[in-house]
Amino acid sequence: MVLVARRNDKLQELACEIKEGGKITSGDSSGKQICQSLGIVIGDITEPSTRSAIIETAREQFGGIDLVVNNAGTSAHGRFASASEPRLRRIMEVNFFAVAELTRAAIPILAEGHEPIVVNIGSILGRRGVPYNSEYCASKFALVGWSESIRPELARLGIDLLLVNPGTTDTEFFDHLIEKQGETPWPRQKGIPPERVARAIVRAIERGQREIVPHRKGQLLLWANRLFPRLVDRLMQRWG
Ligand SMILES: NC(=O)c1ccc[n+]([C@@H]2O[C@H](COP(=O)([O-])OP(=O)(O)OC[C@H]3O[C@@H](n4cnc5c(N)ncnc54)[C@H](OP(=O)(O)O)[C@@H]3O)[C@@H](O)[C@H]2O)c1
């Protein structure tokens, strides 16, 4: 496994958790040694050098790639008109361009892997746009369209693609917004545990599913949007 993020301390913690089957040994100065058999790449996924390091680490340390999980993501809250171009570009860079380019670089190696698969972490907001999240929704809609487009191209090479559309999940996501212009007009949703999303992803990979929404309320929103799009539009308008 090759773990990637910008914060080394978090990567070391996760590596130890994985190695020790759930027991976290954060702060342990020997963490680096314990986790030797995991590859760690510290860097920003939007940098081409980080993406090359991921591919090289997988190739050199493990001889190939069977699974790519495109998970890194970010967002911002606030109306589009009062936001900036850099905010839009940064969110598109992290949530879409980095994913597309890492996948492009991995395809030739994945094609030689064992039951290879690309797992793209989208969002229910990649299937229904909501106000105050325009850049995020745009990036996740892009991810959905691109995933659907490349799925048949990858199938030709024997590579599967799973699209995961989580709803609100109890992670640090909302602490890491790149900008927050006031509170959203709807109350903060209680998230589901990330472990539940992770288990649903593993099950979906095993079952060969193409797309999942591992969140009841999220399923309800998408179902309502499909059957009563005007009603959902009216609801969104109240919040605009
Ligand atoms: N939480 C939710 O409610 C929710 C709902 C729907 C979809 N999602 C999606 O789920 C995915 C995971 O989000 P999360 O909820 O787990 O958020 P999170 O707690 O903020 O975790 C994001 C992870 O991505 C890494 N990351 C972020 N930007 C990066 C960059 N530029 N380069 C390298 N690594 C980067 C972060 O590590 P570093 O900060 O150390 O780099 C962190 O490990 C995202 O794609 C998100 O859009 C989340």
Side-chain angles (χ1 to χ4, degrees):
M1 204 179 293
V2 179
L3 307 174
V4 189
R6 294 162 299 178
R7 288 169 298 171
N8 187 28
D9 56 332
K10 289 282 181 185
L11 286 175
Q12 296 297 337
E13 248 180 61
L14 176 60
C16 292
E17 194 180 351
I18 293 166
K19 280 284 277 185
E20 302 195 349
K23 238 174 51 202
I24 302 176
T25 56
S26 70
D28 186 337
S29 58
S30 62
K32 220 164 188 166
Q33 280 175 344
I34 296 170
C35 306
Q36 252 172 4
S37 69
L38 286 157
I40 287 184
V41 174
I42 305 153
D44 189 320
I45 196 80
T46 64
E47 296 290 338
S49 57
T50 304
R51 298 196 293 268
S52 306
I54 296 167
I55 303 291
E56 283 320 304
T57 305
R59 210 191 328 241
E60 281 167 19
Q61 218 166 318
F62 304 102
I65 303 177
D66 299 324
L67 164 72
V68 173
V69 182
N70 287 309
N71 177 64
T74 192
S75 188
H77 282 174
R79 288 197 176 95
F80 179 73
S82 50
S84 62
E85 184 178 340
R87 181 168 111 178
L88 172 61
R89 288 194 180 274
R90 178 66 188 166
I91 292 175
M92 291 301 291
E93 286 290 347
V94 177
N95 296 4
F96 180 65
F97 290 117
V99 175
E101 292 311 329
L102 179 66
T103 306
R104 198 199 306 269
I107 287 172
I109 308 155
L110 273 168
E112 292 171 6
H114 173 69
E115 297 185 7
I117 180 165
V118 174
V119 177
N120 287 337
I121 311 299
S123 167
I124 54 167
L125 302 191
R127 289 287 187 191
R128 168 71 224 193
V130 301
Y132 278 70
N133 285 271
S134 56
E135 301 94 343
Y136 183 73
C137 291
S139 70
K140 294 295 185 178
F141 266 76
L143 187 75
V144 169
W146 169 77
S147 297
E148 286 181 352
S149 297
I150 65 160
R151 186 183 278 121
E153 297 181 16
L154 295 181
R156 241 190 63 231
L157 303 169
I159 305 169
D160 275 346
L161 188 147
L162 169 67
L163 178 63
V164 181
N165 298 322
T168 307
T169 308
D170 193 11
T171 66
E172 296 175 2
F173 188 72
F174 298 99
D175 303 328
H176 295 161
L177 298 176
I178 59 174
E179 192 174 56
K180 194 172 176 189
Q181 296 175 342
E183 292 299 322
T184 49
W186 54 84
R188 180 141 179 197
Q189 304 290 309
K190 187 172 159 30
I192 63 167
E195 292 80 5
R196 199 188 300 170
V197 178
R199 277 196 296 273
I201 294 171
V202 172
R203 264 198 313 275
I205 293 173
E206 286 167 352
R207 291 175 183 167
Q209 285 174 273
R210 298 152 56 81
E211 180 167 351
I212 57 165
V213 180
H215 191 267
R216 287 254 171 73
K217 274 195 201 158
Q219 288 168 0
L220 197 66
L221 172 69
L222 298 190
W223 174 81
N225 188 51
R226 207 170 302 136
L227 295 180
F228 313 107
R230 283 181 183 215
L231 188 73
V232 178
D233 277 352
R234 273 214 293 279
L235 189 69
M236 297 297 163
Q237 210 140 357
R238 272 184 30 203
W239 285 327

